[in-house]
Amino acid sequence: MRLARATDADAIWPLLRDVFRAGETYAVDPQISKDAALDYWMTQPRAVYVAEEGGQILGTYYIKTNQPGGGAHICNCGYIVAPAARGQGLAAQMCAHSQAEARALGYKAMQFNFVLASNEGAVRLWHRLGFQTLATIPDAFDHPILGMVAAHIMHKSLVEGS
Amino acid sequence: MRLARATDADAIWPLLRDVFRAGETYAVDPQISKDAALDYWMTQPRAVYVAEEGGQILGTYYIKTNQPGGGAHICNCGYIVAPAARGQGLAAQMCAHSQAEARALGYKAMQFNFVLASNEGAVRLWHRLGFQTLATIPDAFDHPILGMVAAHIMHKSLVEGS
C-alpha cells in the first residue's frame, strides 16, 4: 500500500470507470468523464493510495475531509478493488490502512455517507471493522437493476478508548 | 420570494459572511473568501432564491442535488435569514417555498446533512415542518464556543402520501 502518484492516473482510471459506469455502488454520474473522475478521486481528496502488487494496481482508496470548517476533524474514504483482486480481503486491508493513515493525519472519526443497503458485502465488512450504522436513508439511490434502495450512513471513532 | 440574479451577489454576500465567519452553524471554513462563498451558495446549487422586501434582501436559500448519479432525486437546501429579519417566520416561509420548488424540479425528498444539535431553533423548526432526524453524528462539529457538538441528518419525503 502506498500513496498514489500522478503517473498512476491511467492505471487507476479503469477501476473507477468500471465501478462508476455500472452505477450500482457510488453516487457518481455513470457518464462521468475520465478527467472529472480522476479529479474526484485523486485531486479533491486529502490523500490517495494504491494497493500495488507486481506493478499491478489492485485497489485504490482516498481520504478526504468530510465537512470543512467545524466538521473538518471527520474524514470520509472511498475504496475500489479491481475485479481480479476481489474476495481476497483487500477491501478490509485498505480500510484498516486508511484508519491508521487518517489517525496520522489527525482525524478523529471516519464517516461513510452513502453505503447502499444493496451492497451487502460492504455493509457486513464495515460492521466487522467497527463501523456503526448511524442512519438509513430510505429510497436514497436509484439502482439500475434493483430500483430504489436505501443508503446507510456509517461512522467509526478513531480515538482510542472512545 | 424570487430566484436570485447574478446582480444580487453583493447583497447576498453580507448574509453569508456573517454566518460563515461566526462558524457556529455551517460546516464552512470561517475564513472562506467572498468568491468561494458565492460560488458555494450561488453557482454550485441548482437554484438560489432571495426573500426581498422593499429592495432589501432579508433571506436567501439554495437547492442543490444532494448526491449525483443514483442519488440525484434527493435535494439539499441551506437557508440564511438576515439578522434584522430573524424571529418573523422567514426561515419557515423559505423552507415551505423550497419544498414546493424542489417538487417542481422533480426531487422526491429533501435532506439536511448537517444540522447542529446546538442550533436548537432550527432543529425544532425542521421537525415542525415535517422533517425526521435520521441520525445524530456524535462530536461532529467543533463549535467555537460550545466545543464538540453533535450534528443531525434530517430528511423529508416530498412525495404526497408517502
Side-chain angles (χ1 to χ4, degrees), chain B residues 104-140:
Chain B
L105 288 167
Y107 290 108
K108 305 300 184 210
M110 187 177 289
Q111 183 175 321
F112 302 148
N113 301 304
F114 213 78
V115 183
L116 298 187
S118 52
N119 199 352
E120 291 169 14
V123 174
R124 254 197 315 272
L125 178 59
W126 306 147
H127 277 150
R128 183 155 66 77
L129 296 176
F131 287 79
Q132 276 191 296
T133 297
L134 289 186
T136 301
I137 308 164
D139 294 340

Side-chain angles (χ1 to χ4, degrees), chain A residues 26-100:
Chain A
Y26 276 79
V28 167
D29 179 355
Q31 302 310 318
I32 192 169
S33 69
K34 178 179 175 183
D35 281 357
L38 290 170
D39 181 65
Y40 168 83
W41 198 268
M42 297 187 72
T43 310
Q44 290 177 33
R46 175 118 175 241
V48 194
Y49 300 81
V50 292
E52 194 186 31
E53 202 177 271
Q56 291 285 311
I57 288 180
L58 302 180
T60 177
Y61 79 87
Y62 69 74
I63 303 178
K64 64 174 70 161
T65 298
N66 200 44
Q67 297 275 1
H73 57 288
I74 303 183
C75 69
N76 167 252
C77 292
Y79 312 85
I80 294 180
V81 177
R86 296 207 178 133
Q88 297 162 38
L90 184 54
Q93 210 181 315
M94 288 199 292
C95 186
H97 191 269
S98 71
Q99 290 177 50

Side-chain angles (χ1 to χ4, degrees), chain B residues 1-16 34 38 41-42 48-53 55-61:
Chain B
M1 209 79 67
R2 63 165 173 81
L3 279 165
R5 297 183 279 259
T7 49
D8 294 322
D10 283 338
I12 288 175
W13 163 238
L15 276 68
L16 307 184
K34 178 179 175 182
L38 290 170
W41 198 268
M42 297 188 72
V48 194
Y49 300 81
V50 292
E52 195 185 33
E53 201 177 270
Q56 291 285 310
I57 287 180
L58 301 181
T60 177
Y61 80 86

Side-chain angles (χ1 to χ4, degrees), chain B residues 27-44:
Chain B
V28 167
D29 178 356
Q31 302 309 317
I32 192 169
S33 69
K34 178 179 175 182
D35 281 356
L38 290 170
D39 181 64
Y40 167 85
W41 198 268
M42 297 188 72
T43 310
Q44 290 177 34

Side-chain angles (χ1 to χ4, degrees), chain A residues 23 26-30 67-74 108 111 113-114 134-143 148 153 155, chain B residues 23 26-30 67-74 108 111 113-114 134-143 148 153 155:
Chain A
Y26 276 79
V28 167
D29 179 355
Q67 297 275 1
H73 57 288
I74 303 183
K108 306 299 185 211
Q111 184 174 319
N113 302 305
F114 213 78
L134 289 186
T136 301
I137 308 165
D139 294 341
F141 188 83
D142 191 1
H143 188 287
M148 285 295 174
I153 295 165
H155 177 277
Chain B
Y26 275 79
V28 167
D29 178 356
Q67 298 275 0
H73 56 289
I74 302 182
K108 305 300 184 210
Q111 183 175 321
N113 301 304
F114 213 78
L134 289 186
T136 301
I137 308 164
D139 294 340
F141 189 84
D142 191 2
H143 188 287
M148 285 294 174
I153 294 165
H155 178 278

